[in-house]
Amino acid sequence: KSICKYNSSNKTNKRSEQMPFNENLKLLRTKNKLTQAELGKILNLSRSTISNYEAGKMQPSIETIIEISKYFKITIDSLLKDE
């Protein structure tokens, strides 16, 4: 059985419940002067996938989170937390 981030009976706005991952990813990418296409190529993902992560339309797999944290040399906690 898969684990779903959101309870289907919960009718609240999903955007307000999101982790700040999307904002942190965009900040890290822009601070490192990378385009979405460049970061996608580094991570073996499409530019549109990076765009969807940053827009909060998609959430990455745990494997992708690990790869992002390794690339930017930050902890997973730092990547996912609102700080």
Side-chain angles (χ1 to χ4, degrees), residues 30-46:
T30 57
K31 278 189 172 183
N32 285 275
K33 297 180 174 35
L34 294 169
T35 66
Q36 290 176 339
E38 290 167 337
L39 182 58
K41 187 173 184 178
I42 290 163
L43 298 171
N44 261 349
L45 300 169
S46 68

Side-chain angles (χ1 to χ4, degrees), residues 21-62:
F21 165 78
N22 58 325
E23 295 167 10
N24 292 342
L25 179 62
K26 185 172 185 177
L27 182 66
L28 286 165
R29 180 181 59 77
T30 57
K31 278 189 172 183
N32 285 275
K33 297 180 174 35
L34 294 169
T35 66
Q36 290 176 339
E38 290 167 337
L39 182 58
K41 187 173 184 178
I42 290 163
L43 298 171
N44 261 349
L45 300 169
S46 68
R47 184 216 50 86
S48 62
T49 297
I50 300 299
S51 175
N52 284 328
Y53 289 165
E54 290 182 0
K57 294 179 181 178
M58 288 175 56
Q59 293 294 319
S61 67
I62 188 64

